[in-house]
Amino acid sequence: METGPEPGLRERKKQRTREAIFEAAMELFDERGYDHVTLAEVARAADVAPATVFTHYASKEDLVYSMRHEVNERLRTAVNERAGQIGVLAAVKEWMLGMHEYFTESPEAVRRSRTFSRLLNDNPALWNRSVGFIHERQMLLVELLAERYPDADPFLLEAAAAQVAAATQTAVRYYQRDLAQGMAREEVLARAAVRADQVFEQLERGLGDVF
Amino acid sequence: METGPEPGLRERKKQRTREAIFEAAMELFDERGYDHVTLAEVARAADVAPATVFTHYASKEDLVYSMRHEVNERLRTAVNERAGQIGVLAAVKEWMLGMHEYFTESPEAVRRSRTFSRLLNDNPALWNRSVGFIHERQMLLVELLAERYPDADPFLLEAAAAQVAAATQTAVRYYQRDLAQGMAREEVLARAAVRADQVFEQLERGLGDVF
DNA sequence: TTCATTATTAGAGTGGCTCTAATGATAGAC
DNA sequence: GTCTATCATTAGAGCCACTCTAATAATGAA
């Protein structure tokens, strides 16, 4: 996104360390499962001290979910870029489909995404942690909605954000399940598009018609 | 609810132990804050071995959130009892208001609920854990909706459940904030009723009109 | 070269949680 | 009342995520 003034050697080394830890962790998690890998092992594989892991990642889970920061930033950008053109809901939908593409845009990306998805699908406890992170996205949505609709009732705005976050998360989970099962990229994206249409129509029109 | 055939002495003692642990924990948490109480201290205060705590509660958090099992059971009952009379959404709304009353039905209940609410409001990390438990309620809602609407698309049904769970959780959070601040019971319930109307209308009619 | 900054490190410690093998109280059969 | 099976509870050892503190060493700026 933003290309600051050439990061120095120190910063580049730091980034390399961070990535080395991430790569080592994902490989080990993929091989033996999240629960059967200790942080000490990750550190050893990445050739750093155990304490160093915590200077880059707040926790073991954070290692798995580290990409969520970028994902959320992209949500913010997607909504702001389209301000004045389309509604927030439509922008969120675009962002979601864009992320699905992004996660499969190269063979390398596909590999990583499959690993990530398989990790979550194999480990319910780990998946449950992801629910906790929905809250971060929900708060971001509150912020984005509040900017666009400053006169809305704060409670209803927060409730709306919660619904959008929950619904998109459900769609993402189905997407990840398809991905984890090894479905072809085109198929995965096609299904995701259909579900996106369905779930955003549900969000816009409400549950009253059906339930 | 269900009064089985007189629990024996052993079962009664077990219950007493369980409650002693809970009471001790809540008192210590209230006094010094969740983070500044160790499980060993809880065990000591309850006069049991540390390991015993884990035979009754799966984790330290579970100690705080233990009532959710009963809350969820009441949701199931509320929906099933009104089957054929009102829709699932309306039943969920009734349940929510009923729970608000239940949590303030006696001075003792009010005291406990305030402690609980204050605990969550004072500790963001602890509050965030509650988000993880939404998922349990969501799965229960999926089950309840699926019974009532067996022909619905599973994905849309799950998305709907996610929205309902998220929206009610938001309402509950506002309720707890009021409670934690020491607002009078009548006022708390009145506000909760207004918000319940608002949020369920939003769920039924969708976000399209406003956002 | 000199000095401040800071990423990394070792090492010691805290505390949640698990596991195993006892212990002791209760329940039911006789 | 006695015997036996069940099971809640226990001590104790141990694992591991995570924290803190005080060094170390590499980088960046003067």
Side-chain angles (χ1 to χ4, degrees):
Chain A
M1 306 263 141
E2 202 172 323
T3 26
E6 267 319 288
L9 174 58
R10 184 182 278 170
E11 192 59 29
R12 271 174 6 242
K13 272 199 175 174
K14 190 177 170 184
Q15 269 311 312
R16 235 185 296 151
T17 304
R18 183 185 164 85
E19 278 160 30
I21 294 168
F22 180 76
E23 297 295 340
M26 288 310 265
E27 191 168 332
L28 287 175
F29 290 162
D30 192 33
E31 270 172 27
R32 320 213 305 261
Y34 181 79
D35 287 335
H36 298 90
V37 177
T38 70
L39 271 178
E41 290 171 324
V42 170
R44 191 141 32 83
D47 206 35
V48 296
T52 304
V53 176
F54 290 105
T55 68
H56 291 277
Y57 299 93
S59 64
K60 190 178 174 187
E61 305 161 8
D62 201 46
L63 216 35
V64 175
Y65 286 108
S66 58
M67 71 273 285
R68 75 186 195 282
H69 299 112
E70 193 193 336
V71 171
N72 286 341
E73 272 321 296
R74 278 170 183 258
L75 171 55
R76 166 176 270 120
T77 309
V79 170
N80 286 340
E81 266 178 357
R82 298 283 263 156
Q85 298 172 45
I86 56 175
V88 173
L89 254 65
V92 173
K93 182 176 165 184
E94 280 190 1
W95 158 82
M96 200 173 76
L97 291 172
M99 289 315 299
H100 290 170
E101 299 247 11
Y102 171 66
F103 282 128
T104 56
E105 72 183 2
S106 69
E108 178 61 13
V110 170
R111 202 185 52 77
R112 273 199 203 182
S113 299
R114 282 199 208 285
T115 299
F116 177 70
S117 296
R118 228 176 313 117
L119 224 48
L120 298 200
N121 274 283
D122 291 353
N123 190 327
L126 192 54
W127 166 259
N128 281 338
R129 296 301 178 167
S130 86
V131 184
F133 293 129
I134 297 179
H135 195 60
E136 283 184 17
R137 187 161 307 148
Q138 182 181 323
M139 289 190 299
L140 172 56
L141 282 168
V142 166
E143 197 187 318
L144 295 172
L145 284 170
E147 274 175 34
R148 197 77 78 85
Y149 306 99
D151 298 329
D153 177 330
F155 167 66
L156 284 177
L157 198 143
E158 196 167 331
Q163 288 167 54
V164 174
T168 54
Q169 186 72 1
T170 303
V172 168
R173 191 163 85 198
Y174 273 71
Y175 165 80
Q176 281 176 339
R177 193 183 301 160
D178 286 350
L179 208 52
Q181 285 171 355
M183 189 181 290
R185 176 187 134 96
E186 285 70 26
E187 180 78 10
V188 169
L189 292 178
R191 291 195 187 211
V194 171
R195 284 194 296 257
D197 283 336
Q198 288 178 312
V199 80
F200 276 91
E201 193 185 319
Q202 190 184 54
L203 277 170
E204 280 174 28
R205 312 248 305 248
L207 309 176
D209 297 341
V210 185
F211 300 107
Chain B
M1 306 256 145
E2 203 172 321
T3 25
E6 264 323 286
L9 174 58
R10 175 135 80 197
E11 192 60 29
R12 271 174 6 242
K13 272 200 174 174
K14 191 177 169 182
Q15 270 310 313
R16 234 185 295 150
T17 304
R18 183 185 164 85
E19 277 160 29
I21 293 169
F22 179 76
E23 297 294 340
M26 287 310 265
E27 191 168 332
L28 287 175
F29 291 162
D30 193 31
E31 270 172 28
R32 320 215 303 262
Y34 181 79
D35 288 334
H36 298 92
V37 177
T38 70
L39 270 178
E41 289 171 325
V42 170
R44 191 141 32 83
D47 207 36
V48 297
T52 304
V53 175
F54 291 105
T55 67
H56 291 277
Y57 298 92
S59 65
K60 191 180 174 187
E61 305 161 8
D62 201 45
L63 215 35
V64 175
Y65 286 108
S66 59
M67 71 271 288
R68 75 186 194 283
H69 299 112
E70 193 193 336
V71 171
N72 285 341
E73 271 321 298
R74 279 171 183 258
L75 170 56
R76 167 177 267 118
T77 310
V79 171
N80 286 340
E81 266 178 357
R82 300 282 264 156
Q85 298 173 44
I86 57 176
V88 173
L89 254 65
V92 173
K93 182 175 164 184
E94 280 190 2
W95 157 81
M96 201 174 74
L97 291 171
M99 288 316 299
H100 290 170
E101 298 246 13
Y102 171 66
F103 281 127
T104 55
E105 72 183 3
S106 69
E108 177 61 13
V110 170
R111 201 185 54 76
R112 273 198 203 184
S113 300
R114 282 199 208 284
T115 299
F116 177 70
S117 297
R118 229 177 312 119
L119 223 48
L120 297 200
N121 275 282
D122 291 353
N123 190 328
L126 192 55
W127 166 259
N128 280 338
R129 296 301 180 167
S130 86
V131 184
F133 293 129
I134 296 179
H135 195 61
E136 283 184 18
R137 188 160 307 147
Q138 181 181 323
M139 288 190 300
L140 173 55
L141 281 168
V142 167
E143 196 187 319
L144 295 172
L145 284 170
E147 274 175 35
R148 198 77 78 86
Y149 306 100
D151 298 329
D153 177 330
F155 167 66
L156 284 177
L157 198 143
E158 196 167 329
Q163 289 168 52
V164 173
T168 53
Q169 187 73 0
T170 303
V172 168
R173 191 164 85 198
Y174 272 71
Y175 166 80
Q176 280 175 339
R177 193 183 302 160
D178 286 349
L179 208 53
Q181 285 171 354
M183 189 181 290
R185 176 188 135 94
E186 285 72 24
E187 180 76 9
V188 170
L189 292 179
R191 292 194 187 212
V194 170
R195 284 194 295 257
D197 283 337
Q198 288 179 312
V199 80
F200 275 90
E201 194 186 319
Q202 191 184 53
L203 278 170
E204 281 174 27
R205 311 247 305 245
L207 310 176
D209 297 342
V210 185
F211 300 107

